[in-house]
């Protein structure tokens, strides 16, 4: 059985690629999934359902279309990695973490030390706090060893 | 039966008081609960368990002691109000929202229009987006009417 | 312990009153709950959250405010009575029935014989099909006898 | 992993075929399922279990045989599409929507604008409201992109 | 908090009374519930919903009306006592036991030694096998002691 | 996806073979499972765990070893067929039916008309009552059609 | 609402009394529950069900009678305190901790520093590790403050 | 479908190998999983996440990394075998047993007769108590027979 890992959060750096390449380099049997990470496509995911005059409803529709994808993927995963970058609010990442916590779905966080305090509740329910993609890969290597 | 409302999020303004006073003014049979909102006490909730040299573990211990309280209260509530203020990251508020979403626990958000976009996933799973405590009180008045 | 009964569906006739009066006449320890049955108030439940130019979003907001109330009440009930009248689509009543079915929450239907065929899936998952409020009261009298 | 989509509701137009052809045209890895859509066969699904003198019991038996199939398929799906046409009551479609809502199974609706108001509760719990099969296909294309 | 005990099974001997009197004699804070134990009333529980020409449907309707009562009571109980007498099939008692087992609801059986073999699956999932009402009372006395 | 059917109950006639042959004759994609149906082997399933002086404990151990197998198979099935023959108590069959009912796992019963009354609670929660293996096969044929 | 605390584990020292007295001294609205802590009574809880020649079955019966009590109390609690003393194996305490973990029921451990290593899995899923009853009382004081 | 068996507990003897070889010798379609059984690697599983000055936090981090692996494997298994050896506390094994009990996941224990008394609660919720790896293999042979 493959090990399924959902990669949640920041979409402005290449942390997903780093983890996937690291897993590949170790020959791990891991399948990675995530939300659609093309920012513009994601924001426009509901546009084909009709134009909206208010930003709120445009966002609302796109978020729900995205949730169709992400809910299934999170629930099918064995582990979720939640990434908080140094920019943006990334409330969706914290939302995913809470979602996992309520489902008893194990997740690890990936963020720098300077945001340890505001992330304390998110980290408290996590299985690990990592600061580099190498550490995430090392966890994957460990939990999937024969 | 009383209606139980958990108030999650920002602890630096008096939005909780406003809602409670509004509910009282309307004579609503609503019981309000929340995390401990004394910021210093909350950060120090685990200090009596022994000193830590690293900030991460101090936060870790306090967050978990707080979670003992908040998990029970969220699960016993009929509605959760999640407040995002204009300062701080408030990832714990987004975390609570995700927790509610996974449990199918209804929640409403309370935040200004200027953060609609970063909160789109949180709002998408909410039962309402409110911008004032008066609107929250009005919802409580409506859902509890005889 | 009182027996909790949620009354779902048609809001244009006085079937709720008939059931409540029948229960009272028999001195039953039953607590009745329902959605807000004032049609105009129900349609306007979300209006205080801001005006909408599109009917869809006005309905959307009001439906969700109503759901805050109805979800809690359905989940707390011991039995749901779902009424289909001779007018209107009443898809919300069928929606409530499906919601109950998925939660294994017992429900009975109340409707005339001429709509037996289109309601066959809804009736198939019900604990009883009734055609009069007297029959509903009789069921309540029976299930709550000492 | 294929993406499983259950198509619920109206059986008198070819909307299912349109969606399936659209998905195929885009080369999507989607598996479509549905109730038996042959109307006469569906109504007669329980006839081999013995004749009934009352229409209610004939319907009852057939509905339950159909439910054996549909329950499994709904629970195994990643998304449910619920179609409301311009004829018939289609309470079974609303029932399926309520069933999905209680299970936190994502669903989208497919119906014309003129029935937005009576479907407001059903739409409120949906992940999207669509008005054409092209929109449904576009959602499928989006949520399954690599 | 009172301790809730649902008494399931045989309705032709006075085992329920014996347990209730025993609990009362010990001053236990136990609330006993059960299905309607008036055999004729139970068989006729659905008769007011309309006459049936076939025995199957008469039984079907009455069983479901009875289930409205029993499902709630079983789910609210802390312990279920399942009694198998020396007459009749009592498949409903075994059904209740299986229902409890699937819900992880603790139950004890009450039956003579000569039917140990056919009841082996039912006893295997029980918390205790008792042969007298005194033993049941003794269990209640023990589990509710201060 | 294959359709999984668990065959529960009577082990003294060849009803399982009839259903399997019927399904095969129709080329159905159905996988059948069941408890170990070799009566002596089933009764002795726990004997290798050590001799017991009391029949109760021998039965107890064997029943639990059998349950390891049956629980998994029931939970993995799409449909359970519960057979009541004309001999023996078959409380385990009624137990399985109750187990399915609590899990919302669809099941059909297979028994003669003369035991309709004692099986009324078991039939009331079933999706169908059948009296012949041909009817069961017909249901399988219907629910698995393309 | 009172806060319910189940006290699990060691029964040879007076840690339960210390916690209860501490809570009382602070005037906390906490209800404490536990297994029957009279060791001899606990070991003999099933003796009235008939003598056993093998120790295994005597233990088996008593453990299950005890479980009737403890399962209900654990599930009704807001917090479980799991105590590991310096004598005995106390596998039942670790069992209770695992039971809580699977149910997402918050628990804290109470044990000395010298057994930190063998308890690492138990502590990893706990909300706090305490080494004195004063610390437990302090947690209760904190989580129940107005 | 293969039968999945998770092997929990003692890591200082070769009981896992014996069971796997026994299953292989019988040609059973069983897939075995377990925690990482290399003791040093297991204790160091979190070391790459940063050094800790306190033993408690080192253990804490490693235990959680291990739990990422074990939770998934336990939940995916059809049966768990929990081994208690003659050395060490093995509280993690009892923890796993409690975890299984709460999830209604069937498990069997494997331990000598001299620790029957301290393991009585763990054994009481098990499907079998075994004393040799041959008995475990025999159970696997039985529950997987065609």
């Amino acid at each position: 059985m493959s090990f399924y890992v959902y990669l949640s959060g920041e979409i402005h750096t290449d942390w997903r690629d780093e983890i996937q390449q690291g897993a590949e380099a170790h020959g791990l049997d891991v399948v990675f999934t995530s939300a659609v990470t093309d920012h513009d496509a994601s924001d426009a995911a509901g546009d084909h359902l009709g134009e909206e005059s208010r930003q709120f409803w445009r966002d609302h529709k796109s978020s729900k279309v995205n949730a169709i994808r992400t809910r299934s993927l999170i629930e099918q995963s064995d582990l979720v990695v939640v990434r908080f970058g140094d920019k943006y609010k990334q409330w969706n990442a914290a939302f995913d973490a809470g979602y996992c916590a309520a489902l008893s779905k194990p997740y690890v966080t990936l963020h720098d030390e300077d945001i340890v305090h505001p992330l304390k509740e998110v980290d408290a329910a996590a299985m690990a706090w990592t600061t580099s993609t190498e550490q995430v890969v090392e966890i994957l290597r460990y939990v999937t060893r024969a």
Side-chain angles (χ1 to χ4, degrees), chain A residues 42-44 46-47 52 54-66:
Chain A
S42 175
D43 280 0
D47 284 0
E52 296 294 336
R54 297 184 60 184
Q55 175 66 20
F56 183 82
W57 294 121
R58 187 200 175 210
D59 281 344
H60 196 74
K61 293 198 302 188
S62 291
S63 294
K64 282 184 168 167
V65 169
N66 277 295

Side-chain angles (χ1 to χ4, degrees), chain A residues 2 10-11 14 18-19 32 38-40 45 58 61-63 69 73 81 84 92 98 108-109 116 126 136 141 143:
Chain A
S2 299
E10 197 206 15
I11 59 175
D14 58 354
E18 286 176 26
I19 292 174
F32 293 97
D38 173 338
H39 197 167
D40 292 340
R58 187 200 175 210
K61 293 198 302 188
S62 291
S63 294
R69 174 187 175 104
L73 294 177
V81 181
F84 293 87
N92 59 319
V108 300
T109 58
V116 154
V136 174
R141 197 194 56 72
V143 301

Side-chain angles (χ1 to χ4, degrees), chain A residues 11-91:
Chain A
I11 59 175
H12 303 92
T13 63
D14 58 354
W15 66 279
R16 282 184 180 78
D17 291 338
E18 286 176 26
I19 292 174
Q20 287 177 266
Q21 285 159 13
E24 208 171 307
H26 285 83
L28 307 184
D29 182 11
V30 176
V31 177
F32 293 97
T33 60
S34 72
V36 170
T37 55
D38 173 338
H39 197 167
D40 292 340
S42 175
D43 280 0
D47 284 0
H48 67 94
L49 298 172
E51 224 171 318
E52 296 294 336
S53 50
R54 297 184 60 184
Q55 175 66 20
F56 183 82
W57 294 121
R58 187 200 175 210
D59 281 344
H60 196 74
K61 293 198 302 188
S62 291
S63 294
K64 282 184 168 167
V65 169
N66 277 295
I68 293 171
R69 174 187 175 104
T70 57
R71 293 283 168 84
S72 283
L73 294 177
I74 287 178
E75 279 161 31
Q76 288 161 8
S77 65
D78 293 297
L79 178 68
V80 174
V81 181
V82 189
R83 164 73 182 155
F84 293 87
D86 58 357
K87 289 198 293 191
Y88 307 104
K89 297 288 194 182
Q90 296 160 111
W91 282 317

